Amino acid sequence: MLNLENVTISRSVLSSVSYSIAIEEGILPFSIDEKGILTLLISEMHNMEKVQRIQMLIGKRVKLKFLERDTLFPLIVKQYDLQDNGEGSSVKEKHVGPVFSLNPREAIITMVTDILWEAIRRRASDIHFEPFEEAMQVRFRIDGVLQNIVTVPSARVSELVSRIKIMAHMDIAEKRRAQDGKIRFAEQGRDMDIRVSTLPTGFGEKVVLRLLDTKSFNFSLESIGMSPDEQELFRRAIEQPNGIVLITGPTGSGKSTTLYGAVNHLKKPGINISTVEDPIEYNMPGINQSQVKPEIDMTFANLLRTLLRQDPNVIMVGEMRDKETAEIAIRASLTGHLVLSTLHTNDSLSAITRLIDIGIDSYLVSSSLTMVVAQRLVRRVCSHCSCVQAKTEELRERIGFDTETPLYRGVGCSHCNQTGYSGRVGLFEILPISEELRSMISKNESIVEMRAFMKGMPFRTLKDSAFEALRSGTTSIEEIAREVAVLA
């Protein structure tokens, strides 16, 4: 039995196998004996064909020892990184992106499962299978950004798509129309709900999988990422018996997470909470969740009308998409219900004008709205490879940030898959609707006038939140410029 705890493999042994071959073949040179035989750790049970191929690649006689894949690959990265951090020339080539490869000859069931496990291991929220003329590109969305992971040979694309469709209970013969499905992936203690969407393209069907971890997701208010002061403001608003609390921001800004956090905080035995969603992203025990189905006339508006006859205390509406839905939600809030919902706007004040623009009377908006929260998600600089960033004058000037405060970025390491980022952090702009603001709304005053009024208030904007994240070294200036469009 090999003892791998605190082991450091010598440079002379590591240099016998290049880093790219180590990753591609799933092997790690471990030791060389007095006869010159190289002991390799390998991630799969060996056969003579593989032994001969590896010996030809390396030019040495080899002895293979089996090690689990999940143990071996982090060990490969660690050992080559250790040598790179020492003095002398590097034994590791520059490697960009996640370390992952597929055996193009393996069974399609194994191939799909390997991709799913790799996505789960890397905390991906989505998997994109994108067909092109010569191969299919597989990309993971990690911390909000798509990353190239691996390619699938064109000869295997059709059976890969069919395998996913079978898992999602979709029609494998239908390739001309878009389809939606769902996979329940429960293996080795992980319980994932996977939403599947297919779309015909010029080179075949594109497939996108949305991964939802039903067990490990944290729905507490503390997990949302608000500061203690912001959390207190938000908590006071959602604990009101009636009114509307809106969460705004673009797609992928964490609005649903904030809504689920609020609903989970309010969940008590004496309260009836009902939701209208499209789709239901997480099943929450104790909450009555309804799925929009336009094909049978179960729209947001129609479901909301029905919910009002179900004696609710709290109603969560996934999105206010139209005037009809917004009107019903507002009237529900005025008749003693708390309504939580989302809008797609850039900042909190824009939500007020959006409601008026879609046809809601200003007096209804002013009397029903309790709070608007605008939010963004930016990637967090990796703590393992963070360093002070130079040459940022142009970006600093563009967004109006001072030139004195040191800024940080990640240079890329094995902990962050060479991206420089690990995880995400929320930026928030919380707007309680004060009496003065209600008066301005009811008088149809412009958003310019409302913004001028808020400048004199103790109001933390998205810009303020972004600058605080920069000062603390939490994120990079490129992330702020990319995600917080209101600053551009």
Side-chain angles (χ1 to χ4, degrees), residues 72-279:
L72 177 60
F73 276 81
L75 188 62
I76 294 173
V77 176
K78 176 184 175 183
Q79 292 300 320
Y80 281 87
D81 274 351
L82 282 173
Q83 294 300 335
D84 282 356
N85 292 334
E87 296 180 359
S89 61
S90 171
V91 298
K92 176 180 172 184
E93 307 94 331
K94 177 64 177 175
H95 180 76
V96 179
V99 175
F100 181 63
S101 62
L102 289 174
N103 179 352
R105 295 182 296 277
E106 69 185 351
I108 200 65
I109 293 175
T110 304
M111 186 181 289
V112 172
T113 302
D114 284 350
I115 292 171
L116 286 175
W117 273 116
E118 187 68 10
I120 291 168
R121 190 173 74 83
R122 296 196 179 279
R123 303 177 296 102
S125 60
D126 303 84
I127 307 174
H128 288 235
F129 296 89
E130 300 167 314
F132 296 104
E133 188 171 8
E134 297 181 354
M136 171 176 272
Q137 177 68 55
V138 181
R139 297 197 288 172
F140 293 170
R141 189 176 294 280
I142 301 171
D143 295 333
V145 177
L146 283 170
Q147 299 177 14
N148 291 338
I149 299 298
V150 74
T151 57
V152 176
S154 57
R156 307 300 305 273
V157 168
S158 178
E159 56 179 324
L160 182 145
V161 173
S162 294
R163 170 60 185 164
I164 294 173
K165 282 183 167 184
I166 289 169
M167 293 172 73
H169 305 287
M170 298 161 76
D171 185 353
I172 63 171
E174 180 56 79
K175 300 180 180 181
R176 299 167 302 167
R177 295 191 181 94
Q179 295 187 64
D180 294 305
K182 190 174 182 179
I183 297 170
R184 191 62 178 266
F185 188 72
E187 288 188 28
Q188 300 182 27
R190 297 301 296 266
D191 194 358
M192 305 287 293
D193 280 338
I194 303 174
R195 294 204 323 253
V196 182
S197 172
T198 67
L199 177 71
T201 72
F203 294 108
E205 290 177 281
K206 178 186 176 184
V207 184
V208 176
L209 275 56
R210 166 63 59 88
L211 309 181
L212 303 169
D213 194 335
T214 59
K215 298 296 183 185
S216 66
F217 197 85
N218 188 348
F219 292 115
S220 69
L221 280 187
E222 292 73 21
S223 69
I224 294 171
M226 295 178 180
S227 69
D229 290 344
E230 290 170 334
Q231 208 178 114
E232 179 60 21
L233 278 173
F234 185 60
R235 186 188 60 76
R236 287 208 300 262
I238 64 174
E239 288 179 355
Q240 296 296 315
N242 56 271
I244 292 182
V245 175
L246 287 178
I247 315 297
T248 77
T251 300
S253 59
K255 299 188 298 296
S256 296
T257 301
T258 302
L259 279 183
Y260 279 114
V263 166
N264 192 57
H265 176 77
L266 294 171
K267 186 174 67 174
K268 295 179 178 65
I271 292 180
N272 175 12
I273 302 177
S274 297
T275 76
V276 181
E277 304 176 58
D278 184 25

Side-chain angles (χ1 to χ4, degrees), residues 390-440:
K391 298 181 180 178
T392 58
E393 288 78 7
E394 183 181 339
L395 269 178
R396 286 179 188 260
E397 183 179 346
R398 175 183 155 197
I399 70 173
F401 191 66
D402 69 76
T403 58
E404 304 300 324
T405 303
L407 298 177
Y408 293 84
R409 66 185 293 271
V411 296
C413 66
S414 60
H415 294 280
C416 60
N417 300 319
Q418 310 299 329
T419 64
Y421 299 96
S422 181
R424 289 192 286 179
V425 63
L427 306 178
F428 297 91
E429 176 180 287
I430 297 184
L431 177 69
I433 308 300
S434 63
E435 290 306 315
E436 294 88 350
L437 207 49
R438 287 187 199 282
S439 177
M440 296 182 77

Side-chain angles (χ1 to χ4, degrees), residues 448-481:
V448 174
E449 292 170 309
M450 286 189 277
R451 282 192 177 128
F453 168 74
M454 291 308 298
K455 282 184 179 178
M457 299 290 106
F459 173 56
R460 191 184 188 199
T461 65
L462 270 174
K463 183 175 181 178
D464 296 330
S465 183
F467 284 3
E468 180 57 37
L470 284 177
R471 291 188 186 95
S472 65
T474 303
T475 192
S476 70
I477 196 165
E478 288 84 3
E479 275 296 283
I480 296 302

